[in-house]
Amino acid sequence: MYEKIKLLSEIKELMENDKLFEMFKKTFEDYEYYFNTTNYIVLNVYQFNDHGSIHVLLTARRALEILKIIKKFGIQTTAEKLGKPFKWSKFIVAFGALFHDIGNMIHRENHYLFSTILAEPIIEKLAKEFEEDDWLLLKALTLNAIYTHDEATQCTTIEGSCVTVADGCDMEQGRSRLVHKKDKVDIHSVSALAIEKVEIQEGDNKTPVVIDVKMRHLSGIFQVDEILTKKIRNSLLSGKVKIRIHAENQVLEKVV
C-alpha cells in the first residue's frame, strides 16, 4: 500500500528544506538495515506487525504533517520556545520518527529506552552536522522525541508529541501499533483489520489537528481507544486533536 519512494517524496515536500531532506534521505539509506533488522525480529521473533522501513517513513511523514498544521495555527514548538529556528523542529520530528522503534531489535519491553541508546551516536553526528554551535541541545531534544513516543511515557515537547501522535496513526488494515499476534483471532486482531484509512487534516483554531479514521465496522474503535487516544492524551497536543471516525454510515467525533 505504501512505497518508500513516494513517502520520501512527500517528506521532502513537507520539509521545504533541501539540506535537511538530503541528510534525512542519506541517513535512511545508510541505516535501512537497522529498520529491516528490527522488522525481521518483530515479525519473526515477537510475531507482531510491521515496525520496519515503511513504518518509520510513514511516521515521519505524518509527524511532519502534524507539525505543519500546528505551525499554521500558531502553536509554538518547544524549539521555538527555546529561541531556536523552526527548522530545528523539523529535524527533531524527522529524525525522532526515523529512529523511534529501533530498540525493538533488543526487546519489545522498554524498546523506547533502547531506541534512544542505539540512536544516540547517530543523532549526535547528525546534530553536529546540522547545528555547529548548540548541537547538544538539538541532540537532547531529538532523543527526547524518540523516548516519549510510547503511550506509557508522558511527552514533554511539542516535537515529541508530533511523533507520538503520528506513530499512533499507523493502524490501517493490520498495521496497528497495538501489539497483537498476526495468526490469533481476538478483539485486537479483528479491530486492527477493521481500519481502512487514516488521514490527517487541518481543523480550526480550537482543534487544529483532525484525524479521520475510516473503518469497515465499529470494532475498529477498540484500536483507536487503546492506542491513538492514549498517545494523544499523553502528548502536549491533548485537547487540540479531534478524532473523526467514519464507520457503518456513521460519523463519530471526539476531541482528545
Side-chain angles (χ1 to χ4, degrees):
M1 183 168 60
Y2 291 103
E3 297 178 355
K4 286 183 282 187
I5 294 175
K6 189 171 188 301
L7 287 170
L8 284 166
S9 175
E10 291 167 346
I11 288 168
K12 181 179 182 180
E13 186 176 344
L14 286 162
M15 279 183 173
E16 300 176 321
N17 184 317
D18 290 342
K19 177 185 175 182
L20 178 58
F21 175 73
E22 288 306 316
M23 285 179 62
F24 181 88
K25 183 173 181 289
K26 184 177 186 306
T27 304
F28 171 74
E29 291 169 349
D30 287 348
Y31 290 94
E32 190 171 7
Y33 71 107
Y34 268 50
F35 314 130
N36 290 339
T37 300
T38 298
N39 206 34
Y40 182 83
I41 291 170
V42 169
L43 293 176
N44 294 285
V45 178
Y46 310 152
Q47 297 185 330
F48 297 155
N49 45 317
D50 172 48
H51 282 68
S53 299
I54 294 298
H55 172 58
V56 297
L57 289 179
L58 189 54
T59 302
R61 192 206 75 187
R62 284 179 168 145
L64 287 166
E65 283 184 289
I66 294 169
L67 183 66
K68 183 176 182 178
I69 290 171
I70 64 173
K71 175 68 172 177
K72 181 176 179 178
F73 282 91
I75 297 174
Q76 198 174 32
T77 66
T78 300
E80 289 178 310
K81 289 176 182 176
L82 296 173
K84 302 303 179 184
F86 185 61
K87 66 179 183 178
W88 267 45
S89 297
K90 293 179 181 180
F91 178 102
I92 295 162
V93 164
F95 288 111
L98 191 63
F99 289 105
H100 77 278
D101 258 347
I102 58 173
N104 279 290
M105 72 171 70
I106 296 176
H107 201 285
R108 177 64 191 174
E109 188 175 337
N110 294 324
H111 73 281
Y112 48 96
L113 173 59
F114 296 130
S115 292
T116 62
I117 293 169
L118 291 173
E120 186 271 335
I122 305 168
I123 299 300
E124 178 167 319
K125 180 181 177 183
L126 292 166
K128 286 179 177 177
E129 182 181 343
F130 194 72
E131 175 60 50
E132 293 182 5
D133 297 328
D134 213 357
W135 61 266
L136 184 56
L137 178 59
L138 181 58
K139 169 187 169 181
L141 292 172
T142 308
L143 292 177
N144 170 278
I146 294 172
Y147 183 77
T148 61
H149 84 270
D150 191 83
E151 62 272 10
T153 308
Q154 178 65 47
C155 290
T156 54
T157 68
I158 292 294
E159 291 85 350
S161 299
C162 291
V163 173
T164 194
V165 174
D167 182 42
C169 287
D170 193 6
M171 54 184 176
E172 297 162 323
Q173 300 182 32
R175 295 189 55 84
S176 166
R177 299 303 93 202
L178 184 62
V179 172
H180 63 277
K181 300 284 186 177
K182 295 184 296 179
D183 58 349
K184 184 177 181 181
V185 178
D186 58 12
I187 184 59
H188 300 263
S189 57
V190 170
S191 177
L193 293 170
I195 296 176
E196 295 180 307
K197 192 70 177 174
V198 177
E199 295 179 327
I200 295 169
Q201 313 282 359
E202 287 184 15
D204 52 33
N205 286 322
K206 186 176 180 181
T207 51
V209 180
V210 175
I211 302 174
D212 277 315
V213 184
K214 299 174 184 178
M215 55 184 75
R216 294 184 184 88
H217 46 80
L218 288 170
S219 67
I221 291 177
F222 176 80
Q223 203 68 212
V224 173
D225 286 343
E226 286 299 304
I227 290 296
L228 182 56
T229 298
K230 288 180 179 179
K231 284 181 177 288
I232 296 170
R233 285 178 177 158
N234 275 349
S235 79
L236 299 185
L237 298 178
S238 181
K240 298 178 175 66
V241 179
K242 178 188 291 182
I243 299 176
R244 197 158 52 196
I245 294 168
H246 306 258
E248 300 177 8
N249 297 317
Q250 300 179 65
V251 179
L252 308 174
E253 295 184 352
K254 66 175 180 177
V255 177
V256 183

